[in-house]
Amino acid sequence: MSSTLRQAIAGSHPLVVPSIYDGISALLVRDLGFEAAYIGSYATGATRYGVPDIGYIGLEDMADQARRLAPIAGVPLIVDGEGGWGNAIHVARAVQVLERAGAAATHIEDHDFGKHLTIKSSVIPTGQAVDKIKAAVDARDSEDFLIIGRTDSIGVEGPSAGVDRALAYQEAGADGLFIAGFLDADSWARLTSDARVPIYVPDFPRQSAADQAAQGADVVLYYGLAHIAAKAGMQQALEVLKAESSTQSIESRLSTAGFDEFLGIEKARVQARRFGLIDPDDDSMAEATRAFEAQK
C-alpha cells in the first residue's frame, strides 16, 4: 500500500480512484485494496443533504468528510476543493483547512456557476484561476499535499483553450491537472506532450480506465460510483419492502451477522473479553447464528 499519493500515482497506470462518502464506502475501499480514494461535493451533497451538486457544499462540509473518513479508509484522499470558496485569499485558507483535516490533495477549479445545470457553465478568467493555484501552493504546509488545477472550461471555450488553461495552472505550480471535459485527439496530444505533472480525469461513459490511460490520463476518478450504486441497491430493497411488506425474498443478501463482521464486530468482542465485559467463554452469538441458519 502506498504511503503518499505521489507514490500511488507512480505505481499505477492509471491510478483508479473510487469515491467514498461514509464509513461503509471507506471500509470497502480499504478492504478491497484501492490505493487512494476521492471525496467529492457531488457525493457529499447527495448523501448528507439530498441536494444536487450546484454549489451548496461548503468548506466545512468537505473538511468534516476528510476528518471522519481518512482514518477509516487508510489511503491518501483527494478532496474536492471546489473553487476554493472565494478568491485567492479564501483558497489559501481552504487548503490549510483541508490539509489539517487529513486530505492528501485537493483540486481547485476555474468554474464559476452553472456546472451540472448546463454544459456551458461560466468560468472565471484564466488570470484569476492562476492566482488561486499560486495561493494554494503557497498556503500548504507540506509539499506532499498536492494541489491539482482543474479546468471546467472545455464546454465553454473548447478543448484547445482548456489545454491552455491547464498548462497555465501547471506553470503556476499545480502538482496535477484535472481535465473535466472531453478533449479531441489533437488536444490530448498537446496536453500529454507539454504536461510535466499527472493528468486527472473523471470516468467517462463507455470508457475503461485503461482506455483513458491510453489517451494520456494518469488518474481516473470514479466520482459518482459509490453513492449511485448505493442508491440503486437501497431503492431495490425498499421497493421489495413496499410491494411485499416483507424482505423475506431478499434475506439471503441481507445478513446482519455478515454486516457486523464487515464492521469489525469480532475485534470488539475480543476486546470485551479481554476487559471482562463479557464472559470469556461466551459463544452465544455464534450459537444463535447457527440456530438461525439451521431453520432455513
Side-chain angles (χ1 to χ4, degrees):
M1 189 70 70
S2 302
S3 60
T4 70
L5 184 57
R6 277 197 179 93
Q7 291 172 340
I9 295 170
S12 306
H13 188 67
L15 180 64
V16 174
V17 183
S19 63
I20 61 175
Y21 60 88
D22 66 357
I24 295 172
S25 54
L27 284 172
L28 285 168
V29 162
R30 183 198 69 186
D31 291 352
L32 291 171
F34 285 96
E35 294 286 331
Y38 178 68
I39 300 176
S41 61
Y42 185 26
T44 299
T47 61
R48 296 187 69 164
Y49 304 112
V51 297
D53 188 21
I54 58 171
Y56 292 126
I57 302 306
L59 170 59
E60 192 51 38
D61 290 310
M62 301 309 298
D64 183 60
Q65 290 284 75
R67 290 187 200 103
R68 292 186 305 109
L69 301 182
I72 301 172
V75 297
L77 298 184
I78 303 167
V79 178
D80 188 350
E82 297 280 65
W85 295 281
N87 58 37
I89 294 174
H90 301 106
V91 169
R93 179 174 180 272
V95 164
Q96 293 167 348
V97 170
L98 293 175
E99 185 176 11
R100 287 195 297 265
T106 189
H107 59 74
I108 304 298
E109 63 193 44
D110 53 18
H111 165 255
D112 181 28
F113 184 74
K115 185 170 60 176
H116 306 305
L117 294 171
T118 173
I119 295 296
K120 296 185 178 297
S121 59
S122 60
V123 292
I124 63 175
T126 301
Q128 289 182 22
V130 164
D131 286 345
K132 288 187 176 187
I133 298 299
K134 290 179 178 178
V137 171
D138 290 345
R140 64 184 172 185
D141 185 59
S142 169
E143 291 188 358
D144 285 332
F145 183 82
L146 305 186
I147 304 300
I148 303 160
R150 168 173 170 159
T151 183
D152 289 88
S153 64
I154 295 166
V156 184
E157 300 175 345
S160 181
V163 172
D164 289 341
R165 279 178 173 262
L167 295 175
Y169 305 157
Q170 175 177 258
E171 294 308 309
D175 303 295
L177 306 177
F178 187 168
I179 308 301
F182 292 97
L183 296 180
D184 55 34
D186 289 343
S187 297
W188 264 118
R190 183 161 70 93
L191 178 63
T192 55
S193 173
D194 294 348
R196 303 185 303 274
V197 297
I199 298 169
Y200 297 66
V201 297
D203 68 295
F204 287 125
R206 297 180 294 280
Q207 292 188 28
S208 68
D211 293 334
Q212 292 182 267
Q215 292 177 309
D218 298 292
V219 181
V220 182
L221 304 176
Y222 283 76
Y223 64 98
L225 176 63
H227 70 278
I228 293 173
K231 182 262 185 184
M234 284 188 281
Q235 181 169 343
Q236 184 180 38
L238 290 170
E239 284 175 348
V240 169
L241 178 61
K242 178 65 174 175
E244 302 174 11
S245 296
S246 170
T247 58
Q248 287 178 294
S249 64
I250 55 174
E251 275 182 359
S252 62
R253 289 175 281 164
L254 302 174
S255 167
T256 303
F259 194 78
D260 283 345
E261 294 303 319
F262 163 71
L263 295 175
I265 192 68
E266 187 55 38
K267 181 178 179 180
R269 192 172 287 124
V270 169
Q271 290 178 314
R273 289 184 179 123
R274 177 188 173 194
F275 292 111
L277 300 174
I278 62 175
D279 188 329
D281 298 320
D282 183 280
D283 194 35
S284 59
M285 292 298 296
E287 291 174 358
T289 299
R290 288 192 291 269
F292 178 78
E293 291 295 326
Q295 294 175 5
K296 287 185 177 181

